[in-house]
Amino acid sequence: MHHVTKVHFGPLLAEVRTKVDSKRPLLRYLVDKREGLRNIHPKELLSSDFSCLHSPYSLPDLSDAVELILSFAKAGKKILLYGDRDSDGVSSTCLLAFFLKSHKEFSNINLEVMVSSESDPYGLCKEALVKIKKVKPDLLVTLDFGSSQADEIEELTNTGIQVIVLDHHEVPVRIPTNCALVNPRRTDSIYPEKKICTAVLSFKLVSAILFRLSDEYGRVYVKTEVEEGSEKTSLVYFRNGIKIKEESLLSFSLDEKSILPYPEDFVTPIPVDTERKLFFYQCSKIPDFFSSLEEETDLAGIGTITDMMPLIGENRHFVKLALNSLTKLYAGDKKRKGLSELLRELKLSPQGVTTKDLGWSIGPVLNSAGRMGKTEEAVSLLLSETATDAKTKAKQLLSINEERKERTKRNMDRVERYFARKPERTTKEIVFCYEPDMEPGVSGIVATRMVDTYKKPAIFLAPDNGDARGSIRSYDKENVLELLESLSHHFLHFGGHPEAGGFSIQIDKIPAFEAELYDAAGKWLAQDKERENTHSIETDFTVLTEEMGERLLKEWKDLEPFGQGNPDIKLAIRNAKAIHLTPLSGGKHVRFHLIGSGSLKYMIWNKGEEFQKFMSGHGSFDLVGSLEENFYQGRTTLQFIVEWFGIAAENSTQSN
C-alpha cells in the first residue's frame, strides 16, 4: 500500500468488448499485451502436451552426461547426486534419483543421494568437498550449482572423480574443464530457452536417457524445404530432434538408405515447429515413453514455480503438465508415495492442484527443510518407498514448515522494531538489516518482505554457525549479482540469480561491508538510467463492482499459470464503498465487502490498521488487486486480494 505514486487505470470491460474483434475479447486483449504470449499459436496458448517440449539434445554437454551415467551405471561404479538445499535443488535431485532408482535399466545402480544443509555455504564449499571425497564417488552429479566453481570441480576431477553439472545459474567467463556442464545459459548453448530451472534440466536428462535407450536414437531424417524468398529447395537434416548441418553427416557414417524421410503427414495435437514435431513423432514411436515421463513433470513444475522462472514458453507447458500429473497423483495414483502423501496432508482442493498450490503450499514446505537445516527430510519424503513411511515423513515435513513460519514471524518482528529505532535507514538506496539476535534460515523470505514493504532492493543478514549469511532481493529490474560482485572482497561465498542472491560473511567484516554498501548501491542503481524513482501500478482493466464474480474470472482462466513473466490479471475499482468491515488477527488484516458486488469478499493483508484509519476519513476510495479462488476447510470461494487502496487522480495518485 506504501509508496505508490501513480496508478494507470486499464480500460473498462465494456470498452474492450466493443473495440476488440474476437469471440473472447478480454482474453485476446490480454494476450496481445503480453510479449511472451502474443506470438504463440492459439492452440499452444490454450493447451499443453509433450509435443510442445524441445529436444533435450540441443543442451550443451547433455549427450556427454547421458553417456557418462549409462556407462558408470552399467559398470557398477558409484554415482553420487549432490543437490542444493532449496526447492529447485531438492526437486531436481529427487526427480533424477527417483528415475534412476525405479527404471529397470538401472536396477543394479550404485547410487547415493546427498543435499547441502543450511549450515553449509553455497555450492561446492570446503565442507561439501570434504563430504564428497569421503563418499569417494566415481561420478558426481551436482544439481543447481557448479557453473561458477571451476576451481573446486577441477580439484575433484584431479582426484579421479568424473563430474556432471546440472545448473541454470549465470555462467562466468571461466567454466570447469573435463566436466559435462549442462547449463542453458552457456554462450554456446543452442537450446531455445535460457531461463529454465534445474528441475527441468533433470527432466531433460531423464528424457534424453529414455530416448538414448530406444531405436530412435541417432536416426537421421531429411526434409525438403523451399528457401525463403525464392523457389529453390534445400535438404534439411535432423538428428535426435535438432537440425544438423549437411557436412555433419560425414561423422555419422551413414548411407542414403539409412536416412529417413521427415514425417510430413504426421499431425501433432498442437501445431509446433519442425524440430519439435519430429522429436514428438520419434518419441511417440517409443513404447511407454510419455507415460514414463508424465510422472516426472510434477517435480519439474514445482521447481519452475518455486525458483520463479518466467511462465512463458516451455516453462508454461511444464507447469501445466505438472498440474495434470499432480492432480492424478492426488486422486489416487500412488507411484510417487511421498509426494502423494504430502498432497493429502496439505488438504488441497479435490477439484485439482493449482499453480497457487505449487507456489504457496507444496513449494514452501519443500523449501522449509533446507531453511531449517534439515534438507534431507524433504529428500527422504520424496524418495519414500512405502505409504506408511511417506505419511510419517509428510507430517514431519509439515512440522518443520510450522517451525519455519514461527522463525520468520520472530525475525519480521525484530525487523520492524529495528527500523522503528532507526527510521533513517529506510531512506537509503538499499534497505539493510542485521542484528546479532536475528535467526538464520529464513533470510530470503525476510528480504523479500522488506522489498514489499519499502519498495527498494533489500538485504537481510543473520548469524549462522559462527559467520553470517545474507540474502539480497531486487525491487525492479536491478541485477543484484552486479552489486554482490562489486562487494565480493567482503564475502566468503556469494551467488544466485539477477533477481535474488545470497552470500556468507565473517561477522567481524559486517561493519566494513555495510559502510561500503550504500555508496556501492548508489553507483549500482545509477547505472540503470531508465530506473524510475517512483512506483507505479499498471492495471489491466477497470471493473465496475457489479461486474465482479466467477463469470469474469473464467474469461481469462486460460491464461494460467500466472507468475513471473505472466502476472495475474490486475484489476482496478474506482469510487468503491466498503461495508461489513471485519478486522482479523487483532486488526493486522481486514476483510470487507463492497456495495454492488454481492457476497464477494475483499481482503487486505498486513495493512488492516492503515485501511481502517484511511476509511475513517474517506467515504469512497479506489482499489487495485486480483480475483482469486480460495480453498479453505473443504470450501472453494472467490475473493479479491487488495494490492493498493487510496484516492487516485485519473492516472496518478499520491501515496497513502
Side-chain angles (χ1 to χ4, degrees), residues 144-162:
D144 210 29
F145 60 82
S147 296
S148 61
Q149 295 178 292
D151 293 340
E152 291 84 351
I153 288 173
E154 287 165 11
E155 180 183 332
L156 291 171
T157 56
N158 288 337
T159 67
I161 299 173
Q162 184 68 55

Side-chain angles (χ1 to χ4, degrees), residues 77-239:
K77 294 184 177 180
K78 182 178 282 190
I79 299 174
L80 172 63
L81 308 185
Y82 198 126
D84 191 25
R85 63 180 148 267
D86 69 2
S87 180
D88 186 29
V90 169
S91 296
S92 55
T93 303
C94 291
L95 191 159
L96 182 56
F98 194 94
F99 170 77
L100 294 175
K101 284 173 174 285
S102 60
H103 194 277
K104 59 185 179 181
E105 182 73 21
F106 303 99
S107 57
N108 296 316
I109 193 170
N110 184 0
L111 182 71
E112 189 162 339
V113 178
M114 294 175 64
V115 281
S116 62
S117 69
E118 185 60 30
S119 60
D120 294 335
Y122 174 77
L124 288 172
C125 56
K126 61 182 180 181
E127 293 88 347
L129 292 176
V130 169
K131 292 178 186 177
I132 292 166
K133 290 175 182 177
K134 189 175 180 180
V135 173
K136 296 180 180 178
D138 298 294
L139 175 64
L140 167 69
V141 183
T142 71
L143 298 108
D144 210 29
F145 60 82
S147 296
S148 61
Q149 295 178 292
D151 293 340
E152 291 84 351
I153 288 173
E154 287 165 11
E155 180 183 332
L156 291 171
T157 56
N158 288 337
T159 67
I161 299 173
Q162 184 68 55
V163 180
I164 297 171
V165 173
L166 293 185
D167 190 21
H168 69 125
H169 293 91
E170 295 287 339
V171 178
V173 174
R174 188 170 109 76
I175 63 174
T177 56
N178 301 318
C179 160
L181 174 58
V182 182
N183 188 323
R185 292 179 184 259
R186 281 178 50 168
T187 55
D188 60 343
S189 175
I190 60 171
Y191 196 75
E193 310 271 353
K194 299 298 181 187
K195 294 186 177 182
I196 55 176
C197 68
T198 308
V200 165
L201 292 177
S202 266
F203 177 93
K204 293 292 177 180
L205 179 57
V206 165
S207 62
I209 291 172
L210 287 174
F211 193 82
R212 173 66 179 83
L213 295 172
S214 76
D215 293 337
E216 284 298 310
Y217 177 76
R219 286 182 173 171
V220 175
Y221 288 77
V222 64
K223 177 179 172 63
T224 302
E225 290 187 349
V226 178
E227 294 182 12
E228 191 174 347
S230 73
E231 296 183 1
K232 286 186 177 180
T233 61
S234 61
L235 298 179
V236 180
Y237 296 89
F238 302 83
R239 185 172 184 265

Side-chain angles (χ1 to χ4, degrees), residues 32 60 66 158 183 326 341 349 353 391 409 456 521 590 595:
D32 288 343
V66 170
N158 288 337
N183 188 323
L326 287 165
E341 288 301 328
S349 170
V353 180
K391 192 172 189 65
K409 184 176 182 298
K456 296 178 180 182
V590 68
I595 294 175

Side-chain angles (χ1 to χ4, degrees), residues 233-248:
T233 61
S234 61
L235 298 179
V236 180
Y237 296 89
F238 302 83
R239 185 172 184 265
N240 300 334
I242 56 175
K243 290 181 182 179
I244 57 174
K245 295 179 180 177
E246 188 170 357
E247 55 266 30
S248 300

Side-chain angles (χ1 to χ4, degrees), residues 383-551:
L383 298 181
S384 296
E385 296 181 358
T386 68
T388 303
D389 192 33
K391 192 172 189 65
T392 300
K393 289 175 179 177
K395 289 181 181 295
Q396 289 173 346
L397 199 57
L398 288 179
S399 177
I400 291 170
N401 190 44
E402 290 304 313
E403 291 179 41
R404 188 268 307 169
K405 290 179 181 178
E406 289 300 316
R407 182 177 291 186
T408 301
K409 184 176 182 298
R410 290 193 297 271
N411 272 346
M412 285 306 303
D413 289 342
R414 290 170 181 143
V415 167
E416 289 175 10
R417 293 199 300 270
Y418 176 85
F419 287 118
R421 294 194 312 271
K422 303 177 180 182
E424 71 281 357
R425 288 175 176 264
T426 65
T427 65
K428 306 285 188 181
E429 296 259 34
I430 188 167
V431 184
F432 173 86
C433 181
Y434 167 76
E435 283 199 308
D437 64 344
M438 297 298 186
E439 297 180 61
V442 292
S443 59
I445 300 172
V446 177
T448 298
R449 294 191 182 178
M450 287 166 60
V451 171
D452 291 341
T453 300
Y454 299 104
K455 308 301 179 189
K456 296 178 180 182
I459 292 177
F460 177 79
L461 198 57
D464 190 359
N465 289 287
D467 294 315
R469 296 189 62 178
S471 290
I472 180 171
R473 296 291 183 266
S474 67
Y475 167 59
D476 194 13
K477 296 179 181 178
E478 317 92 0
N479 185 336
V480 300
L481 292 180
E482 293 176 356
L483 179 62
L484 293 184
E485 179 69 45
S486 70
L487 296 162
S488 60
H489 51 282
H490 293 287
F491 304 144
L492 297 169
H493 300 274
F494 77 96
H497 306 286
E499 305 83 10
F503 60 91
S504 57
I505 186 173
Q506 293 177 351
I507 287 177
D508 60 0
K509 298 283 182 67
I510 293 174
F513 164 65
E514 185 184 3
E516 190 177 335
L517 169 66
Y518 299 118
D519 183 55
K523 293 176 181 176
W524 168 59
L525 295 172
Q527 292 174 0
D528 186 357
K529 303 252 195 292
E530 297 180 1
R531 183 173 180 266
E532 296 184 8
N533 294 320
T534 60
H535 175 52
S536 24
I537 295 180
E538 300 278 344
T539 66
D540 293 293
F541 301 115
T542 302
V543 182
L544 305 177
T545 53
E546 58 267 27
E547 294 174 315
M548 287 290 184
E550 290 185 14
R551 183 178 173 185

